[in-house]
Amino acid sequence: MANRNTRSIYFPILMIWMAALLLLPPAGWAPKAQAAGQAQDPNIDAMLVLDVSNSMSTSDVNKIGNEAMKMFVDMLSPTGDKVGVIAYTDKIEREKALLEMNQPQDKEDLKSFIDDLNRGPYTDIAVGLNEAVKVLEQGTTSGHEPMIVLFADGNNYLNSKGSRTQEQSNKELNEAVETAKKIGAPIYTVGLNADGQLNASTLEDLSNRTGGKSFVTSSAEDLPRILSEIFASHQKLKVVPVDTITANGDYQDVVIDVPNSNVKEANISLMSSQPVDVRLKDPTGKEVTVPSSEVLLSRSKSYSLVKLLQPAEGKWTLQVKGVPKDKIDISLVFNYDLALILEDIPSKNLKPGDKVDIKAYLASNGTKLPSDELYPDMNAVLKVKDLDTGDTSEVKLDLKGDYFGGTFKVSDKHDYELVVRAEGDSFYRETAPVTVSGKAGAGGGSASIEEPAVPTWVWIAAGIALVLLAIAGMFILAAIKKANRGFVGQMVIEIRDDNTGEKTSPQYKKLTAFRGKFSLHQLLQLAPEMKETEGLIFTPGSEDRVVLHNSSPVVVEKSGRAVDASRGVELKSGDRLTIALTNVDKTITLEYLK
């Protein structure tokens, strides 16, 4: 007989299945189509992948790749984006799982992790890229945009004494690329070429096959432009040109023109060989404190990044002071809280000669923008793809007050994909694709095709189905709520070498960044030699406690006695566990503190 947990899973599935059967229409009856032409402005799930082999000692002498990764982290939104790091040679050297950046300290912790990456022998790009794709497959949040940024010289140096062949590496690399395409994760590549030995074709191929972009640099001066273009490309933005300045030892004015009130963030990156000081004035001339709740400032040894949050429209003045004769490169990217929405098309079952009225408008937080905002400075086109032939064409749309409008005429008995693209000076937006069919019949006509009335049975079935869906929804929502519960407190970790008796200093790991569950392997920053800790999973317990579930062969002890954690062991604040690893001579001590 099925147990209680199994029944609790089957019941909502059964309810949904019954509801679906009730809603199935009889053959030949076609309901009115619902359009879905809204493109969202999602958060990012990014994996930063870095070649840390010894060859990088010449191709990336000054660790530009590390600096670029830190700049990318600083460019992310203050909350909501997720980022992870893979450092590889011919194996995974260090790894950081996808973690949500919700606090300034989250970014600082990740940048410190990047600073601590060391180099090792041999190189196998497939190893690093394959791991990044796996992490995205398993950890990408629904609705987020996945992406990979690879920093490498494009060359492989396999261990001649190892069993790995170049053919095996190529096969694994190709499989990783295909998976990246499947999950919609473009690969952006940054070729590091200080020694002139770059294998550019390999990196370009990775980007071209996945819809990313490829860049080459041998100097840190290029980073603001490259990182800004990657960030802009993924977020449907444009890099706004800002003149390079040569420092004279005094504050020099740089005008930052915020074009409208819909700017969510302005990212101003400054690259220089020497540190710079910055001051800021708003459009009224009032000096703004840097940093503050409205302006974030991040620094590294080669760059500074100023982030304006919800800046007022108008001309801001950034005052920059650098060492005399020092060249300062400046890049600017505006991030917008905007979506482009395609209004419903009355019918998607058309015939040659039918005309379709196209209307698309901009919205912020679901509210349509008025005609005097943004529209006058933008151009829009309808992009049409013939799905039968693969041919593409564009139809110019006109500005009609508070929307872009035009007409699409069906020319053949083909299926068509329609996307509206609206473009301004600093950003562009596209609607989600909508498919219409011209195969309904021959002859011309209008898109306003008479559709059959909804039969009475549909309303009755819909009512019953809604009741069943509501019941199933209660179970599903409870499961989702449980899967997304957060954690509180922190875990104190000590690791003892059983051969020497040496202990590491206590590490304090905050748990608030995790949702639903996390593994001890993640908490240990995915140290490769401790891979067996992947089977130790923590989930939220009642009253701010945590529960450990063990599916690995390691031994778990509590209060000096071995415990069976296969069904879960609950930890309250102050409880300690000892975990003896079997593959390496190490013992981990954990203490949970609320």
Side-chain angles (χ1 to χ4, degrees):
M1 180 179 289
N3 61 32
R4 185 174 181 179
N5 290 334
T6 305
R7 292 198 300 271
S8 68
I9 295 171
Y10 288 160
F11 182 70
I13 294 175
L14 177 63
M15 293 296 99
I16 293 173
W17 179 72
M18 292 173 64
L21 288 178
L22 286 168
L23 288 173
L24 284 175
W29 188 79
K32 185 175 181 179
Q34 297 295 316
Q38 178 173 352
Q40 302 295 326
D41 181 22
N43 287 109
I44 291 174
D45 283 353
M47 289 303 300
L48 307 180
V49 185
L50 178 66
D51 179 352
V52 292
S53 63
N54 287 336
S55 67
M56 301 297 284
S57 298
T58 56
S59 59
D60 186 19
V61 180
N62 298 314
K63 293 193 173 182
I64 293 172
N66 301 62
E67 290 296 291
M69 290 199 298
K70 292 191 293 182
M71 181 182 287
F72 184 91
V73 171
D74 283 330
M75 292 183 73
L76 296 174
S77 293
T79 60
D81 291 329
K82 292 165 62 181
V83 63
V85 174
I86 303 288
Y88 72 92
T89 53
D90 62 340
K91 61 182 180 180
I92 302 302
E93 297 290 343
R94 297 289 302 278
E95 183 172 349
K96 195 78 165 177
L98 277 172
L99 291 177
E100 195 167 326
M101 302 288 105
N102 282 331
Q103 302 292 335
Q105 191 58 45
D106 295 336
K107 292 187 176 183
E108 293 304 314
D109 290 344
L110 189 58
K111 289 190 292 181
S112 295
F113 176 84
I114 293 169
D115 277 334
D116 290 339
L117 297 177
N118 295 315
R119 290 175 172 164
Y122 311 117
T123 319
D124 192 342
I125 295 176
V127 170
L129 203 56
N130 186 53
E131 183 69 12
V133 171
K134 284 182 179 178
V135 173
L136 285 177
E137 266 194 304
Q138 299 169 5
T140 294
T141 301
S142 176
H144 284 210
E145 289 281 0
M147 66 185 297
I148 296 171
V149 188
L150 171 66
F151 302 89
D153 60 13
N155 296 300
N156 263 15
Y157 298 98
L158 301 183
N159 184 355
S160 60
K161 297 181 180 179
S163 59
R164 175 85 156 180
T165 66
Q166 188 60 53
E167 289 73 20
Q168 290 172 322
S169 175
N170 292 342
K171 182 176 182 292
E172 185 175 306
L173 183 63
N174 186 63
E175 290 172 351
V177 170
E178 291 303 313
T179 304
K181 288 168 60 177
K182 183 180 71 174
I183 65 176
I187 301 173
Y188 297 88
T189 60
V190 181
L192 303 168
N193 193 32
D195 58 0
Q197 301 300 310
L198 179 72
N199 185 346
S201 60
T202 294
L203 299 180
E204 288 172 359
D205 181 64
L206 296 176
S207 296
N208 292 339
R209 289 171 62 188
T210 57
K213 291 185 177 181
S214 186
F215 303 87
V216 175
T217 181
S218 59
S219 169
E221 295 176 357
D222 297 329
L223 292 188
R225 173 185 58 83
I226 291 174
L227 269 295
S228 296
E229 287 192 30
I230 291 174
F231 190 83
S233 175
H234 202 66
Q235 294 290 81
K236 298 180 175 63
L237 308 170
K238 293 183 177 181
V239 179
V240 179
V242 178
D243 291 337
T244 296
I245 63 174
T246 300
N248 59 16
D250 294 324
Y251 282 101
Q252 297 167 262
D253 290 353
V254 178
V255 176
I256 306 297
D257 190 359
V258 177
N260 55 71
S261 60
N262 297 103
V263 172
K264 183 169 67 174
E265 298 171 4
N267 285 291
I268 311 163
S269 53
L270 304 98
M271 183 67 66
S272 60
S273 61
Q274 302 288 335
V276 299
D277 293 325
V278 294
R279 298 191 308 209
L280 187 67
K281 293 182 180 179
D282 68 15
T284 67
K286 179 184 176 183
E287 189 158 339
V288 179
T289 302
V290 180
S292 64
S293 59
E294 301 172 352
V295 182
L296 307 181
L297 175 64
S298 306
R299 296 185 187 274
S300 184
K301 63 182 181 182
S302 59
Y303 71 87
S304 298
L305 189 132
V306 181
K307 185 188 290 285
L308 312 185
L309 303 178
Q310 303 290 345
E313 180 179 353
K315 296 183 184 297
W316 292 65
T317 302
L318 180 69
Q319 297 181 310
V320 182
K321 180 181 179 181
V323 175
K325 298 184 180 180
D326 188 24
K327 180 183 174 185
I328 303 174
D329 293 299
I330 305 173
S331 292
L332 173 63
V333 176
F334 293 119
N335 197 4
Y336 292 83
D337 184 14
L338 290 172
L340 184 64
I341 300 173
L342 177 62
E343 285 194 357
D344 286 349
I345 295 173
S347 173
K348 297 186 182 68
N349 296 309
L350 310 169
K351 55 185 180 293
D354 282 349
K355 293 181 179 180
V356 178
D357 289 332
I358 300 296
K359 294 183 179 180
Y361 61 87
L362 291 165
S364 177
N365 292 321
T367 302
K368 185 176 182 180
L369 295 189
S371 59
D372 59 344
E373 287 195 30
L374 293 179
Y375 293 101
D377 299 320
M378 301 184 72
N379 297 307
V381 295
L382 173 69
K383 301 196 299 183
V384 181
K385 181 177 182 179
D386 187 321
L387 297 178
D388 291 6
T389 66
D391 295 338
T392 60
S393 60
E394 290 187 354
V395 178
K396 186 180 183 301
L397 300 181
D398 298 320
L399 176 60
K400 298 180 180 293
D402 59 355
Y403 70 92
F404 300 105
T407 302
F408 166 63
K409 184 177 179 179
V410 179
S411 57
D412 296 293
K413 283 188 174 183
H414 295 171
D415 292 330
Y416 299 90
E417 182 183 84
L418 308 180
V419 174
V420 175
R421 176 186 173 111
E423 188 169 345
D425 291 334
S426 59
F427 76 103
Y428 68 93
R429 286 292 184 270
E430 292 184 343
T431 63
V434 172
T435 300
V436 299
S437 178
K439 300 177 180 179
S446 168
S448 301
I449 298 172
E450 186 72 24
E451 298 198 19
V454 179
T456 303
W457 73 265
V458 173
W459 298 110
I460 297 172
I464 299 172
L466 285 173
V467 173
L468 294 175
L469 286 172
I471 296 171
M474 292 171 62
F475 285 87
I476 293 171
L477 285 174
I480 292 173
K481 184 177 180 181
K482 181 178 180 180
N484 288 280
R485 283 177 60 192
F487 294 83
V488 299
Q490 58 187 333
M491 200 74 76
V492 185
I493 302 174
E494 293 180 357
I495 302 175
R496 186 184 72 223
D497 188 316
D498 294 335
N499 293 320
T500 64
E502 293 182 356
K503 272 188 180 181
T504 63
S505 299
Q507 303 175 48
Y508 295 83
K509 303 288 187 179
K510 293 182 179 178
L511 307 183
T512 51
F514 297 101
R515 287 285 182 276
K517 65 179 181 179
F518 65 89
S519 71
L520 179 57
H521 196 219
Q522 289 174 280
L523 207 61
L524 294 170
Q525 298 184 345
L526 291 87
E529 70 273 13
M530 299 184 185
K531 194 173 181 65
E532 60 189 310
T533 57
E534 287 180 338
L536 293 162
I537 306 296
F538 293 91
T539 60
S542 59
E543 299 179 355
D544 292 339
R545 299 180 182 184
V546 296
V547 180
L548 172 66
H549 306 264
N550 181 21
S551 61
S552 73
V554 303
V555 177
V556 178
E557 294 183 357
K558 184 178 181 182
S559 302
R561 302 176 65 179
V563 294
D564 179 9
S566 60
R567 297 183 179 181
V569 173
E570 190 173 63
L571 300 178
K572 62 181 184 297
S573 184
D575 281 351
R576 293 169 63 92
L577 292 178
T578 301
I579 299 165
L581 303 184
T582 57
N583 293 339
V584 292
D585 294 329
K586 295 184 185 297
T587 299
I588 302 171
T589 301
L590 303 176
E591 181 178 5
Y592 173 58
L593 298 176
K594 189 172 73 173

